Amino acid sequence: MEKFSFKNQLEKLVRNPENHSYLLAVSGGADSMVLASLFQGLGLTYQVAHINYKLRGEDSDLDQNTVQDFCEKNHVRFHLYEVSEKDRKPENSIQLWAREIRYRFFGEIREQENLEFLVTAHHLNDQLETFIINLSKASGINGLSGIPAGRNNTIRPLLNFSKEEIYEYAEKNKIDFREDLSNKKSDYLRNKIRNEIVPKLLETNEHFLENFKKSSSYLNQTRDFVERQIEEVENRITLFNPEHKILSKEKLSLESTFVQFEILKKYGFDQEEEIPKIFTAENGSSFFSKDYHLIINRDELILVNKNKEQETKDEILLIESFDFSEDLMSISLEDTIENIEGINNSFEWDFDAAKLKFPLRLRKHQDGDEFYPSGFSGRKKVSKFFRDEKLSILARPKIWILCDSKNSVLGIVPLRQDRRYAKDEKTKSILKIFNEKKK
């Protein structure tokens, strides 16, 4: 391993690396200290972040001192996070807990200091360990492809270098580092693989690690090819809609279970047993992931971003009171109601103001809502009115219910007024509610 070979790897991940800024995650071990030394030698703009987990007593403090000394010597900005009681160390899953702490801290520093890339010191041996762990979990091609060299502004320029090469570079260039002796214990799965399984694999073939690197490269190329094919399938079965992602249920059902899973996984539906349920569910059924609401709408799978759903107001105050010294008051809803696809939003309703209980407001449909639609005799539930009007599942959430202070329905905006409150020959004061905007 030489400085120029490292620079070549870095240039594959970042074009013109000298024009960018970096946050280096440095633990004090050989790999991260070599990483810092290489960045220093190349004259790059970088800062360093270190976490003292307080798990190994004095050793943890000595790790911190090693990193801090390097930064002071080279006039590099040093960021420290010291774990305390507020971090509530769990009895189990220490590694997951530590990972969450460090990536949260790294993200905060990168944003605070306006640094473009987070750089970690993962190397080829880490890649092999990850491959074996994922192989044992049946994690598919994405898992077997291992740790990505670059993704989401995180780069790993040492990923093609072995632990042995890194140690040799550290020794040759007299780089100070600390050994984490806890890594010698096989009490975690990764440590067990590192200490007991990988050495036996390396004994089987002197070129094992080099061959693994080639295989890993092939797997990554295969994964990239599959991802492009999946994207092409998704584009082919996507139905145009300006607001939501809509997939053709019929076309997706004709694809393999692998393709179905890979497409729906992107929206958080990553439980394999859930996929068949989506294709056999009744019309109107809903499924939920962390970020998406999936609705079965006949031959469509509608994917609604829950964060955008939550942005919609549930209620709007329309008018507080009516000035009965006036014969006519008008309210335009042009800037209030959304354009609803497939529905003419233009309407004009004249109410007898004396029949209304103020204030008036717009709200969304509630169970039990009913009204007396103009042009019809009798009473009708709002839910049945929606069905009779053949409103799509996407249109229904955009429909507003106009109601008074007693929660009585005065109209279904923009479709039908309640005839009980309409003006008549005895009306003296009119409240006009209208929208001139067409669909």
Side-chain angles (χ1 to χ4, degrees), residues 103-278:
Y103 278 100
R104 182 177 67 242
F105 175 58
F106 297 155
E108 289 170 357
I109 297 300
R110 197 165 71 82
E111 183 177 353
Q112 174 186 310
E113 299 292 324
N114 197 28
L115 301 169
E116 294 170 82
F117 296 97
L118 171 66
V119 191
T120 70
H122 291 91
H123 47 75
L124 188 57
N125 293 63
D126 292 324
Q127 186 75 288
L128 177 57
E129 293 161 14
T130 300
F131 174 87
I132 296 170
I133 289 171
N134 289 339
L135 182 65
S136 70
K137 294 179 179 178
S139 57
I141 192 169
N142 284 332
L144 297 182
S145 299
I147 308 167
R151 184 174 291 177
N152 299 330
N153 292 94
T154 297
I155 59 172
R156 302 173 177 90
L158 289 178
L159 209 53
N160 279 330
F161 299 103
S162 69
K163 185 78 171 178
E164 184 179 357
E165 290 176 291
I166 291 169
Y167 273 114
E168 287 175 356
Y169 185 89
E171 184 179 353
K172 180 179 176 181
N173 292 276
K174 298 181 172 53
I175 297 170
D176 290 332
F177 65 88
R178 294 266 308 157
E179 285 284 8
D180 184 350
L181 297 179
S182 67
N183 287 334
K184 301 296 183 182
K185 300 177 183 178
S186 298
D187 44 0
Y188 297 119
L189 176 60
R190 183 174 289 275
N191 284 4
K192 189 177 183 67
I193 290 170
R194 177 180 299 154
N195 299 328
E196 299 177 23
I197 297 175
V198 169
K200 293 186 182 300
L201 290 174
L202 298 182
E203 287 174 6
T204 64
N205 183 342
E206 62 178 321
H207 301 295
F208 185 93
L209 210 51
E210 187 64 31
N211 290 339
F212 167 73
K213 181 164 69 173
K214 292 177 183 177
S215 296
S216 183
S217 174
Y218 299 149
L219 279 169
N220 274 281
Q221 292 175 52
T222 303
R223 180 199 60 201
D224 292 344
F225 174 77
V226 169
E227 286 179 352
R228 289 196 298 272
Q229 295 301 305
I230 294 291
E231 189 175 348
E232 286 184 17
V233 172
E234 183 175 352
N235 290 338
R236 192 171 68 244
I237 67 172
T238 296
L239 307 175
F240 175 75
N241 184 279
E243 296 181 30
H244 304 296
K245 182 77 174 183
I246 302 182
L247 305 175
S248 167
K249 179 183 171 185
E250 180 184 8
K251 290 180 180 177
L252 184 55
S253 69
L254 297 176
E255 299 293 337
S256 68
T257 53
F258 169 75
V259 172
Q260 293 170 6
F261 178 75
E262 288 297 313
I263 290 176
L264 293 174
K265 182 178 70 173
K266 293 163 60 176
Y267 303 97
F269 300 96
D270 54 3
Q271 302 300 313
E272 291 186 36
E273 64 275 10
E274 191 175 34
I275 306 302
K277 295 176 184 177
I278 289 173

